[in-house]
């Protein structure tokens, strides 16, 4: 592993030097970062305006300019619609000379947008999407996938549960690309660890009543009910599970839990539940310091994708400074050649396929008695090293060889 | 476990009951819509937003004033109904003589404003509202575990629906109401204040949505999206039942809950579309709806 990393670094470094020789300075005299996210829909809290705030904070902390040129942040609402998102980004590229797009939440939107960005040779800074496609079958030399992905969630939450003897699983899955990906990768982990999946139901996105699915899960006799969904779907599924007594007979595992959703749950039903996250505000002094500044500006504690958006922007701007240009190829090479290191990115490095590998956290939801404040939600159970959490790079994503 | 043709009978009967619980919500909401359309010919697209408002008011009452669930169950529908009366008096009435489309657009706009406002104020993740202590826990039936609160939903909504139906169809007040909307001039001549009746009817129809919102708060997360998700389904139910048919709205609401529950059991992927499929079939075979009168 270490040897491979070194070779990668060397290749990336030399590429960086080669490209910087061609392009110097900042094109059109401004570095412009677009933030694209769901601003008013179901995913608004986990990225949305908070991601815009995080990127603006990064730009300010960086000093507002790079290589003597100003840094500008613009933003737009993608309404969770791939067509709206890709049209906006196309417009940004054509008339706004955007250099990179940050944010990016719903995997369906990100899929559409990264294609546009790759064609235009602009950088995609993916903060909140979960699908692992952007660094596997849909990988691109311009994709940077920062905060987490479905593989890390499955490895982080599912593996230890199967190892501890919870062998029979049943899934309640959100019926679209993200849910399928999460269920698929979790199933793989379960089978590899000697467990089995006894059944699954696919619930449409935005289902409010999960009681039918919970009854089916109950009838399956599984040890663990895996919730391969997110946001309000996850909240509703868990609440219903508790109501129908499922949480007393089986374990319920949330595979993607955001702090904002965990906060919306009654501690009486959610306490003890384990989840994997890319970031938690109350980890140490560094995370608390940044989170306090964020909360002061935004009004609530940061979700993991918002912290990721900040960290990723910093790394991007540092790379421009080090490369002496905002040319995407040179910046990507520099980002991969230097290790990010801040309150968010711990033991981190950006892999050649665009996957940012960093320590993930295994957390459990606190019960009501041990909470000091409204924001006090998680116990940190363990730190999962990046190489354990994220799947290794795929051979098929060797775009260096492809191109 | 008892099975028939490989189907788990316990799970199946559980689904039927669960379908009935969801149907109770549909019945309450579609009843409100049917009253407002049937008697006033107003298509109220804000009904879903009022349901959301009901849930939020229950949450706010508890959070800011310590008002418990049972008191909220009475106060919130009154507040939502009162708010609706203001809307009727100052926004809907001035355009009531125009095409139905105007009231539809107006209420649709109102719904969007309310939803946007609550998203702005409380975010989109949803808020937690606890099941009242008296109704925690559940009963073990031979085929399923029935949470007490869900059983309460069925009872509460059936009582409210049946009472409403009885008042409109069987009492003198109901007769005035129906006559007043049929021939306002004549009723005015008898000394009955028709505009007042109209306003109160609108308020009552919307109050039903507020009531459903309070019922829903403990089982679904209180979120700005909750109304828009359910509204389209409820409209389809009103169409299936026959626009304006009071009894039709209640029965179809319960029936569609069961149909949806069964679909979730046999083919979950179709559960969000099955009601619309039923709507298409019913419209093709019986354009006035199952219980509607032919125009």
């Amino acid at each position: 592993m270490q040897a491979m990393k070194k070779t990668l670094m060397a290749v990336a470094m030399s590429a960086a030097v080669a490209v910087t020789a061609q392009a110097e300075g900042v094109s059109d005299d401004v570095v412009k970062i677009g933030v694209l996210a769901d601003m008013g829909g179901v995913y608004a809290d986990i990225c949305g305006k908070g991601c815009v705030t995080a990127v603006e904070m990064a730009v300010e902390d960086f000093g507002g300019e790079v290589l003597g040129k100003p840094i500008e942040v613009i933003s737009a609402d993608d309404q969770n619609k791939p067509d709206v998102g890709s049209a906006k980004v196309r417009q940004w590229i054509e008339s706004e000379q955007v250099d990179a797009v940050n944010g990016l939440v719903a995997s369906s939107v990100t899929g559409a947008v990264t294609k546009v960005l790759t064609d235009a040779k602009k950088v995609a800074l993916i903060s909140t999407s979960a699908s692992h496609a952007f660094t596997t079958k849909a990988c691109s030399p311009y994709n940077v996938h920062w905060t987490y992905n479905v593989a890390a969630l499955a490895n982080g939450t599912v593996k230890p549960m199967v190892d501890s003897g919870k062998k029979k699983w049943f899934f309640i899955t959100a019926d679209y690309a993200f849910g399928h990906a999460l269920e698929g990768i979790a199933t793989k982990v379960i089978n590899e660890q000697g467990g089995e999946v006894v059944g699954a139901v696919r619930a449409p996105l935005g289902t409010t009543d999960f009681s039918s699915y919970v009854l089916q899960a109950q009838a399956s006799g599984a040890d663990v009910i895996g919730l391969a969904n997110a946001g309000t779907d996850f909240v509703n599924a868990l609440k219903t599970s508790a109501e129908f007594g499922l949480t007393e007979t089986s374990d319920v595992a949330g595979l993607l839990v955001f702090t904002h959703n965990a906060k919306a749950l009654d501690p009486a039903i959610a306490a003890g539940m384990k989840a994997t996250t890319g970031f938690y505000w109350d980890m140490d002094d560094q995370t608390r310091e940044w989170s306090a500044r964020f909360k002061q500006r935004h009004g609530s504690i940061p979700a993991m994708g918002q912290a990721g958006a900040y960290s990723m922007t910093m790394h991007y701007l540092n790379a421009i400074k080090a490369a002496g240009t905002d040319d995407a190829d040179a910046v990507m090479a520099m980002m991969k050649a230097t290790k990010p290191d801040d309150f968010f990115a711990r033991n981190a490095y950006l892999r050649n396929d665009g996957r940012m590998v960093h320590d993930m956290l295994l957390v459990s939801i606190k019960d009501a008695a041990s909470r000091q404040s409204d924001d006090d939600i998680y116990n940190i159970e363990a730190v999962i090293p990046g190489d354990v959490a994220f799947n290794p790079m795929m051979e098929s994503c060797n775009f260096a060889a492809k191109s | 476990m008892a099975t028939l043709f490989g189907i788990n009978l316990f799970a199946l009967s559980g689904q039927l009951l669960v379908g009935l619980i969801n149907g109770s919500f549909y019945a309450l909401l579609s009843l409100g819509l049917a009253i407002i359309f049937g008697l006033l010919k107003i298509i109220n697209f804000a009904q879903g937003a009022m349901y959301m408002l009901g849930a939020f008011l229950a949450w706010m009452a508890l959070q800011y004033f310590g008002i418990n669930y049972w008191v909220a169950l009475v106060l919130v529908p009154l507040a939502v109904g009162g708010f609706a009366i203001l809307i009727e008096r100052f926004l809907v009435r001035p355009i009531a003589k125009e095409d139905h489309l105007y009231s539809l657009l107006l209420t649709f706009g109102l719904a969007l404003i309310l939803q946007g406002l609550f998203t702005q104020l409380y975010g989109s993740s949803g808020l937690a509202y606890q099941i009242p202590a008296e109704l925690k826990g559940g009963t073990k039936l031979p085929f399923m575990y029935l949470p007490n609160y869900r059983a309460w939903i069925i009872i509460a909504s059936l009582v409210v629906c049946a009472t409403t139906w009885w008042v409109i169809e069987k009492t003198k007040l109901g007769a005035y109401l129906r006559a007043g909307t049929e021939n306002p001039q004549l009723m005015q001549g008898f000394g009955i204040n028709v505009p007042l009746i109209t306003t109160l009817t609108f308020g009552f129809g919307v109050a039903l949505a507020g009531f459903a919102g309070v019922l829903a708060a403990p089982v679904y997360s209180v979120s700005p999206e909750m109304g828009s998700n359910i509204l389209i389904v409820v409209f389809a139910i009103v169409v299936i039942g026959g626009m304006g048919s009071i009894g039709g709205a209640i029965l179809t609401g319960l029936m569609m809950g069961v149909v949806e529950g069964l679909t979730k059991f046999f083919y979950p992927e179709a559960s969000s579309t099955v009601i619309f499929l039923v709507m298409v079939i019913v419209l093709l075979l019986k354009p006035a709806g199952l219980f509607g009168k032919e125009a």
Side-chain angles (χ1 to χ4, degrees):
Chain A
M1 203 64 192
Q2 211 56 35
M4 191 183 80
K5 242 188 273 174
K6 266 193 192 143
T7 330
L8 270 176
M9 298 286 176
V11 172
M13 269 302 217
S14 53
V17 174
V19 183
T20 18
Q22 294 159 9
E24 283 279 329
V26 171
S27 59
D28 50 75
D29 289 334
V30 58
V31 170
K32 205 176 267 188
I33 304 171
V35 182
L36 186 75
D38 170 18
M39 299 290 178
V42 285
Y43 296 140
D45 284 357
I46 57 170
C47 187
K49 294 197 181 74
C51 273
V52 182
T53 305
V55 172
E56 284 171 352
M57 279 171 73
V59 170
E60 283 164 32
D61 291 355
F62 192 79
E65 56 176 27
V66 60
L67 304 175
K69 305 291 181 197
I71 309 161
E72 228 179 88
V73 180
I74 54 174
S75 63
D77 185 1
D78 63 30
Q79 299 165 35
N80 287 330
K81 292 176 185 147
D83 52 334
V84 174
S86 50
K88 190 73 210 173
V89 167
R90 210 165 271 134
Q91 185 206 330
W92 275 352
I93 292 167
E94 282 162 11
S95 55
E96 298 268 0
Q97 283 83 41
V98 136
D99 295 293
V101 173
N102 205 314
L104 301 171
V105 189
S107 292
S108 48
V109 179
T110 309
V113 167
T114 49
K115 278 198 199 85
V116 176
L117 289 170
T118 300
D119 289 346
K121 294 195 190 265
K122 303 289 176 192
V123 180
L125 302 168
I126 306 164
S127 87
T128 308
S129 297
S131 173
H132 57 318
F134 315 118
T135 56
T136 56
K137 62 177 188 241
C139 69
S140 143
Y142 302 99
N143 282 359
V144 177
H145 198 178
W146 205 257
T147 313
Y148 71 111
N149 70 9
V150 285
L153 299 174
N155 289 329
T157 313
V158 177
K159 214 185 228 167
M161 290 186 86
V162 183
D163 286 345
S164 73
K166 310 276 182 193
K167 300 284 184 198
K168 280 168 76 184
W169 284 65
F170 185 97
F171 284 104
I172 298 179
T173 304
D175 194 16
Y176 76 110
F178 148 70
H180 298 176
L182 189 48
E183 183 197 315
I185 207 150
T187 303
K188 204 165 147 254
V189 171
I190 292 164
N191 292 336
E192 279 167 8
Q193 304 299 307
E196 63 165 328
V197 175
V198 294
V201 278
R202 304 272 170 88
L205 178 66
T207 296
T208 41
D209 193 87
F210 278 87
S211 35
S212 298
Y213 307 121
V214 166
L215 287 182
Q216 289 174 61
Q218 219 160 16
S220 75
D223 302 324
V224 184
I225 315 303
L227 303 179
N229 52 19
T232 35
D233 279 358
F234 159 75
V235 172
N236 285 329
L238 185 65
K239 280 180 89 169
T240 312
S241 304
E243 231 195 310
F244 282 84
L246 185 61
T247 42
E248 281 153 35
T249 52
S250 328
D251 279 16
V252 179
L255 297 187
L256 176 50
V257 183
F258 291 101
T259 35
H260 292 64
N261 301 128
K263 229 177 122 169
L265 285 165
D266 179 0
I269 59 169
M273 185 189 222
K274 289 188 174 56
T276 304
T277 181
F279 170 80
Y280 181 53
W281 72 272
D282 199 15
M283 188 172 96
D284 59 20
D285 287 342
Q286 257 186 300
T287 57
R288 277 189 285 271
E289 186 272 331
W290 184 80
S291 302
R293 283 202 292 137
F294 179 87
K295 186 176 177 177
Q296 200 183 6
R297 281 180 69 149
H298 184 62
S300 65
I301 50 164
M304 62 169 156
Q306 292 160 344
Y310 175 96
S311 165
M312 187 164 46
T313 307
M314 268 303 183
H315 192 58
Y316 173 71
L317 293 174
N318 279 324
I320 293 180
K321 192 174 165 190
T325 173
D326 65 351
D327 175 82
D329 291 298
V331 174
M332 284 299 300
M334 189 56 78
M335 284 176 85
K336 288 170 182 174
T338 45
K339 287 188 172 189
D341 183 22
D342 57 24
F343 73 93
F344 174 90
R346 308 292 173 100
N347 301 316
Y349 61 96
L350 184 61
R351 238 163 36 183
N352 195 39
D353 59 358
R355 177 68 252 163
M356 203 282 268
V357 176
H358 66 121
D359 289 353
M360 298 285 290
L361 301 173
L362 182 66
V363 297
S364 65
I365 298 181
K366 284 189 176 180
D367 59 22
S370 43
R371 294 190 186 195
Q372 313 280 339
S373 72
D374 278 357
D375 293 333
D376 188 14
I377 307 160
Y378 290 150
N379 278 315
I380 296 176
E381 301 267 322
V383 174
I384 311 162
D387 289 332
V388 176
F390 294 95
N391 283 2
M393 199 150 56
M394 259 172 55
E395 279 305 310
S396 58
C397 174
N398 187 354
F399 38 72
K402 264 196 267 178
S403 59
Chain B
M1 255 179 238
T3 51
L4 184 70
F5 307 122
I7 297 164
N8 184 332
L9 283 183
F10 285 172
L12 181 63
S13 33
Q15 298 297 328
L16 286 173
L17 190 63
V18 160
L20 210 57
I21 298 168
N22 278 340
S24 306
F25 278 112
Y26 292 155
L28 266 180
L29 286 168
S30 54
L31 174 63
L33 275 183
I35 291 173
I36 294 170
F37 181 78
L39 301 177
L40 312 178
K41 301 285 178 261
I42 295 169
I43 301 172
N44 179 21
F45 243 83
Q47 193 78 347
M50 296 301 175
Y51 163 73
M52 180 267 290
L53 184 66
F56 264 101
L57 287 180
W59 181 87
M60 288 152 107
L62 183 69
Q63 197 75 7
Y64 303 135
F65 306 104
I67 295 172
N68 77 16
Y69 172 82
W70 301 104
V71 181
L73 206 53
V74 178
L75 285 188
V76 168
L78 288 177
V80 174
F83 180 54
I85 284 175
L86 292 179
I87 292 173
E88 199 279 337
R89 180 64 192 80
F90 296 106
L91 297 174
V92 176
R93 197 183 296 174
I95 58 161
K97 296 206 168 40
E98 310 288 336
D99 198 287
H100 295 339
L101 273 178
Y102 286 86
S103 60
L104 186 152
L105 290 173
L106 178 94
T107 49
F108 183 53
L110 274 177
L112 291 181
I113 292 171
L114 274 174
Q115 193 179 324
L117 192 69
F118 277 93
T119 310
Q120 200 67 31
L121 289 174
Y122 293 100
S124 58
S125 302
L127 305 162
Y129 190 95
Q130 301 234 11
I131 291 175
E134 296 84 350
L135 293 175
K136 282 214 167 114
T139 315
K140 231 179 152 45
L141 302 179
F143 56 91
M144 73 176 290
Y145 176 90
L146 176 66
N148 291 340
Y149 189 80
R150 301 269 172 165
W152 159 247
I153 290 175
I154 300 190
I155 297 167
S157 84
L158 280 185
V159 168
V160 169
C161 286
T163 314
T164 308
W165 175 84
W166 179 77
V167 168
I168 293 174
E169 299 288 343
K170 302 288 170 199
T171 65
K172 207 167 170 185
L173 177 70
Y176 283 157
L177 210 68
R178 283 175 284 135
T181 53
E182 200 77 22
N183 194 338
Q185 275 85 16
L186 187 70
M187 289 308 283
Q188 211 105 27
F190 282 123
I192 286 164
N193 188 343
V194 175
L196 180 70
I197 288 192
T198 311
T199 306
L200 289 179
T201 309
F202 188 83
F204 178 76
V206 171
L208 283 175
F211 180 76
V214 185
L215 274 187
V219 283
Y220 306 138
S221 71
V222 178
S223 84
E225 303 270 324
M226 65 191 284
S228 58
N229 292 337
I230 203 168
L231 181 73
I232 303 297
V233 174
V234 172
F235 259 103
I237 288 169
V238 174
V239 172
I240 296 169
M243 291 292 288
S245 162
I246 308 290
I250 302 172
L251 286 176
T252 317
L254 291 171
M255 258 162 37
M256 288 304 116
V258 173
V259 167
E260 206 183 50
L262 290 179
T263 316
K264 278 178 180 167
F265 184 69
F266 289 109
Y267 190 64
E269 287 84 345
S271 61
S272 58
T273 38
V274 66
I275 289 179
F276 302 100
L277 193 69
V278 173
M279 181 178 84
V280 170
I281 295 169
V282 167
L283 281 180
L284 286 174
L285 299 176
K286 229 171 161 284
L290 292 178
F291 302 91
K293 297 178 204 87
E294 298 285 344

